[in-house]
Amino acid sequence: ADGVPLEGMPVGGMSVTIADRDGGGVVVSVVSTFASQEALEQLLAMGMEEGLREAMGQIDGLLAEQAA
């Protein structure tokens, strides 16, 4: 709740790149890394995929705000 990782839980890394695309628009690239296959599977079981889908679903609105 306070942003501090829970001890014993797997952690991962994520890199997000937003770049202009030739001809207009942008390209969003997301690269996630995990310490192991098991860590990835545990996070997926906890709903990480659904959370990421919800977050990415908001990106159009965020980019539109930045362009305005």
Side-chain angles (χ1 to χ4, degrees), residues 17-35:
T17 304
I18 301 173
D20 290 328
R21 183 176 69 181
D22 291 340
V26 297
V27 175
V28 178
S29 300
V30 179
V31 178
S32 297
T33 56
F34 303 91

Side-chain angles (χ1 to χ4, degrees), residues 19-57:
D20 290 328
R21 183 176 69 181
D22 291 340
V26 297
V27 175
V28 178
S29 300
V30 179
V31 178
S32 297
T33 56
F34 303 91
S36 67
Q37 180 72 30
E38 293 78 19
L40 169 60
E41 290 171 2
Q42 183 177 359
L43 290 168
L44 287 171
M46 295 173 61
M48 179 190 73
E49 183 176 357
E50 292 83 3
L52 185 55
R53 284 182 191 275
E54 286 185 31
M56 295 308 271

